Amino acid sequence: MKKWMYSTNHKNISIMYLIIGMWSGMMGMSMSMIIRIELMNTMNNFNFNLTYYMMITIHALLMIFFMTMPIIIGVFSNWLIPLMTSNQDLIYPRLNNLSMWILFPSLMMLTMSMFIKNKIFTGWTMYPPLSIQNSTSINMTILSLHLNGISSILSSMNFIISMLNMNSNKMFINNLSLYCWSIMITSMLIIISIPVLASGITMIIMDHNFNSMFFNPMGNGNPVIFQHLFWFFGHPEVYILILPGFGLMSQIMNQETGKLEIFSKMNMIYAMMSIGVLGFIVWAHHMFTIGLDIDTQLYFMSATMIIAVPTSIKIFSWILTMNGNKMNMSPMMMWSMGFTTMFTMGGLTGIILSNSIIDMNLHDTYYVVAHFHYVLSMGVVFSILSSMIFWYPMMTNNMMKSSMLKINFINLFISINMTFFPQHFLGLNGMPRRYIMFSDQMMFWNSLSSIGAVSTTMFIMVFISMIMESMISKQKLMFKMKLFNQEWMMNSPSMPHSFNENNIITFK
C-alpha cells in the first residue's frame, strides 16, 4: 500500500494517473453513447431533458479535465521527462504525488454531483444565467474544478522547474526534446489560464451563496463578463490539450521514419511558442453572437486566422519528416498519418468558423461540435492511443500484436469519421447543439452518427482487450531496433528511479 500511497517514483505516479484517466475516459465515453442513443431515438422522453443536459455537461468535463489532461500530461510527462532529461525523477517528487492524489476527491465530487436532485444542466461552459440558480450540484462541480486546477498548477510548476534546473550541459534549446518543449509551453499556459477560470467560477459561487451580483443584471451585473473570463481560459485550454499531443506525435514520427531529427526542429519549437502566445489573444471568437462591434470582430477574426500559420508549419514539418524514405507501415506510422490528416481537417473547419459572418450562422450548431471533436477526438485521442502503443513496450516489457493493431486502427479511423463527419451536415442544416429534438430531415445523419459512436466504443473496447491479452500472454521483447529517441536507451521497463544521481547544471 505504501508503494502507491506515498510513492515518490515518477513511474508509479504515472501509472496511477493512467488509472484515473482510463476510468474517466470509459465513463465519459459511456455518457457520449447515451447522448447518441437518445438522438437516434425518435420517441424522445421530455422528462429525460435535464438528465440529457447533465450527461452533455459531465461528459465534457470528464473528457477534458479527467481523461485527456491526466493521460496526455500526467502519464507521459511523468514517465518520459526524467528519461528524456537523464534525471533520477522530477525535482519535487512529493509534490508530484500530492498533485496526483488531489485528482481523486476532485473526480469523486464531479461524479457525486450527478446523483443530486437538482442536476447541473449548464453545459461545460457554465454560463450565467443558467448557472446562477443555487443548486448543490453546480457548487460541487465548481469545487471539483478548483481542486483539478490546483492539481494542474502544481504539476506544471514541477515540470517547468525540473526541466530548467535538471538539464544536461549542452545548449538548452537544442538539448530538450520536442515533447519536453511542448510540456514546457503547456505548463506555462496552465499556470496563466487556470487562475482566470478559478476567478470566474468563484464569482459564480459568490453569486449563489453570498448574494453578490457579478453576473446578475438585477443587481447591475453582466453575464457576458463571465464569458470573457471563461473563454480567456477556454481557448488556451484547447492548446493545453493539443500541444502535448503535438510533442508526442513529433517524437513518434521522428522514431518511425528512422531520421535522426524531425524536420526543422527549431521551427517546430517557435511554432509551439507562437501558438501558446496567440492562444491568449483570440478568446472572443467564441463570442461573435453577443453583439461585438465590427472592428472587434475583425480583430478576433484576423488573430484567429493567424494561428493557422504556426499550426500549418507543424503540419508541413510532419509531412516532410514522413517524406523521402520507404514507409514501413507500422501501426504507429498509420496512427501518425491518421492524426495528421484528421487534425488538418479539424483545423480547416476552424478557419471556416473563424470568419465572424459565417460563424453567426454556424455558432452553437453541430458544425462546431464536429469541428472541436475533429481536433480533440481525432487529434488528442489519436495522439494518446498512438503514444500508448508506441511506449507500451518500454513501460511494460510486453508487446501488442502488430497485425491486430493495424486492423484496429482502420476500424477506429472509419468509425470515428462516421461519428463526426455527418455532424458537419447537421450543422449546415441548422441543427443546434445540445438539443434533444430535431426535424425529420436530420434523422439520417443523426442515425449514421450514432451507429459510428456505437462501433467506436466497440473498437476502443477491442483495444483495451488487446492490452489485457498482451499482459496475460507476457510476450517478452526479443528484438533489437535502431532507436534514436533518448528514452529508448533505457532498459525496458526502466528502473524505479532512472539514474543514480541527478544531472544538474547551473546556468551562467
Side-chain angles (χ1 to χ4, degrees):
M1 195 66 182
K2 279 186 178 180
K3 176 187 173 183
W4 300 99
M5 282 288 288
Y6 307 117
S7 178
T8 53
N9 175 14
H10 63 106
K11 299 178 188 69
N12 290 347
I13 293 169
S14 171
I15 288 164
M16 288 190 280
Y17 269 118
L18 183 62
I19 292 165
I20 296 172
M22 285 183 73
W23 190 90
S24 305
M26 286 190 280
M27 189 174 171
M29 192 168 63
S30 64
M31 287 179 181
S32 67
M33 275 299 305
I34 293 167
I35 293 164
R36 288 310 328 166
I37 289 166
E38 187 61 30
L39 285 169
M40 191 162 53
N41 176 21
T42 49
M43 304 296 290
N44 282 303
N45 178 5
F46 283 97
N47 297 325
F48 187 68
N49 272 10
L50 286 185
T51 309
Y52 176 79
Y53 299 139
M54 182 267 289
M55 285 284 168
I56 287 173
T57 307
I58 305 291
H59 163 72
L61 293 173
L62 272 173
M63 288 306 213
I64 291 168
F65 293 104
F66 295 96
M67 190 277 276
T68 304
M69 286 174 75
I71 292 180
I72 208 163
I73 301 173
V75 175
F76 294 111
S77 300
N78 269 301
W79 197 291
L80 298 177
I81 284 174
L83 301 187
M84 288 179 173
T85 53
S86 303
N87 290 305
Q88 186 181 5
D89 209 310
L90 294 179
I91 201 162
Y92 298 124
R94 288 182 182 83
L95 186 69
N96 194 19
N97 181 269
L98 173 68
S99 59
M100 190 278 304
W101 280 110
I102 290 172
L103 278 181
F104 274 101
S106 175
L107 179 57
M108 283 165 60
M109 229 167 278
L110 184 71
T111 313
M112 280 157 52
S113 72
M114 293 191 289
F115 300 102
I116 293 167
K117 186 179 178 184
N118 297 321
K119 296 179 174 64
I120 182 167
F121 54 86
T122 58
W124 84 285
T125 52
M126 290 183 287
Y127 282 173
L130 277 175
S131 59
I132 267 178
Q133 299 155 36
N134 188 0
S135 83
T136 315
S137 64
I138 290 174
N139 291 342
M140 286 180 73
T141 304
I142 287 172
L143 189 52
S144 166
L145 291 179
H146 271 306
L147 288 173
N148 189 284
I150 292 166
S151 169
S152 300
I153 289 169
L154 293 178
S155 293
S156 301
M157 289 160 56
N158 207 348
F159 294 141
I160 289 174
I161 296 164
S162 296
M163 283 185 276
L164 287 179
N165 287 324
M166 300 162 70
N167 200 18
S168 68
N169 53 9
K170 294 179 188 173
M171 200 171 86
F172 179 67
I173 198 164
N174 280 332
N175 191 44
L176 275 187
S177 66
L178 275 176
Y179 180 62
C180 291
W181 270 109
S182 71
I183 292 299
M184 178 88 75
I185 295 159
T186 302
S187 299
M188 288 174 180
L189 294 187
I190 287 172
I191 290 167
I192 296 166
S193 67
I194 282 189
V196 180
L197 172 72
S199 65
I201 57 182
T202 304
M203 288 154 85
I204 288 178
I205 285 265
M206 293 179 78
D207 276 10
H208 282 180
N209 301 300
F210 302 109
N211 213 25
S212 61
M213 294 284 179
F214 290 114
F215 308 129
N216 192 342
M218 298 289 285
N220 210 23
N222 185 357
V224 173
I225 290 172
F226 179 80
Q227 291 193 33
H228 282 286
L229 285 171
F230 181 86
W231 285 117
F232 189 81
F233 150 80
H235 198 77
E237 174 64 19
V238 176
Y239 296 114
I240 287 165
L241 299 176
I242 196 66
L243 279 172
F246 287 169
L248 290 167
M249 297 311 296
S250 299
Q251 297 287 127
I252 292 170
M253 289 182 206
N254 179 17
Q255 178 71 53
E256 286 301 300
T257 52
K259 295 184 177 177
L260 288 172
E261 199 172 72
I262 197 146
F263 182 85
S264 189
K265 181 182 174 182
M266 196 64 74
N267 283 351
M268 295 284 265
I269 293 166
Y270 284 126
M272 284 193 286
M273 288 178 173
S274 308
I275 289 167
V277 172
L278 291 168
F280 278 105
I281 58 172
V282 297
W283 76 91
H285 68 215
H286 297 270
M287 301 163 57
F288 281 142
T289 54
I290 65 164
L292 298 173
D293 63 85
I294 196 72
D295 292 334
T296 311
Q297 284 184 39
L298 183 63
Y299 161 72
F300 282 105
M301 185 173 86
S302 308
T304 306
M305 289 180 176
I306 287 167
I307 289 191
V309 176
T311 312
S312 54
I313 287 170
K314 294 192 74 63
I315 287 166
F316 285 118
S317 292
W318 290 326
I319 292 169
L320 286 165
T321 302
M322 289 187 278
N323 179 46
N325 63 316
K326 188 180 178 184
M327 284 287 179
N328 62 326
M329 288 307 286
S330 64
M332 285 78 79
M333 203 70 231
M334 293 172 79
W335 279 104
S336 301
M337 292 164 72
F339 166 85
T340 310
T341 309
M342 293 298 98
F343 182 78
T344 305
M345 176 75 186
L348 291 172
T349 52
I351 292 170
I352 291 165
L353 288 167
S354 70
N355 186 311
S356 59
I357 307 303
I358 296 172
D359 189 70
M360 293 286 185
N361 294 298
L362 294 177
H363 187 79
D364 266 344
T365 67
Y366 264 83
Y367 193 89
V368 178
V369 176
H371 156 66
F372 70 70
H373 277 93
Y374 260 80
V375 175
L376 296 179
S377 287
M378 302 191 197
V380 180
V381 176
F382 269 37
S383 62
I384 287 173
L385 291 175
S386 51
S387 304
M388 284 290 292
I389 296 165
F390 182 68
W391 277 289
Y392 183 77
M394 190 192 73
M395 290 179 171
T396 65
N397 208 28
N398 296 320
M399 283 201 74
M400 289 184 275
K401 289 176 181 170
S402 180
S403 56
M404 287 296 292
L405 286 170
K406 290 177 185 178
I407 295 165
N408 191 247
F409 165 75
I410 293 163
N411 288 326
L412 264 174
F413 187 82
I414 294 166
S415 301
I416 298 178
N417 273 291
M418 195 194 294
T419 308
F420 296 113
F421 197 77
Q423 293 178 10
H424 292 104
F425 304 127
L426 287 172
L428 291 168
N429 282 321
M431 180 172 173
R433 62 196 279 204
R434 298 183 187 154
Y435 273 38
I436 201 167
M437 302 292 288
F438 51 88
S439 62
D440 289 347
Q441 67 178 14
M442 297 170 188
M443 188 68 216
F444 173 72
W445 296 121
N446 265 313
S447 299
L448 193 62
S449 187
S450 295
I451 293 164
V454 173
S455 60
T456 301
T457 306
M458 188 172 71
F459 291 121
I460 290 287
M461 292 303 167
V462 170
F463 181 76
I464 294 167
S465 70
M466 286 160 61
I467 293 175
M468 293 168 65
E469 187 265 342
S470 74
M471 292 282 191
I472 294 163
S473 63
K474 286 284 181 188
Q475 305 160 350
K476 294 294 179 186
L477 292 180
M478 299 298 290
F479 62 91
K480 294 287 181 185
M481 291 171 63
K482 191 176 180 184
L483 300 161
F484 299 99
N485 287 342
Q486 191 173 343
E487 68 275 17
W488 282 101
M489 306 297 179
M490 298 293 298
N491 295 326
S492 300
S494 41
M495 299 296 286
H497 292 281
S498 309
F499 298 93
N500 291 329
E501 58 182 22
N502 290 334
N503 194 358
I504 299 175
I505 173 174
T506 52
F507 292 101
K508 294 180 181 179

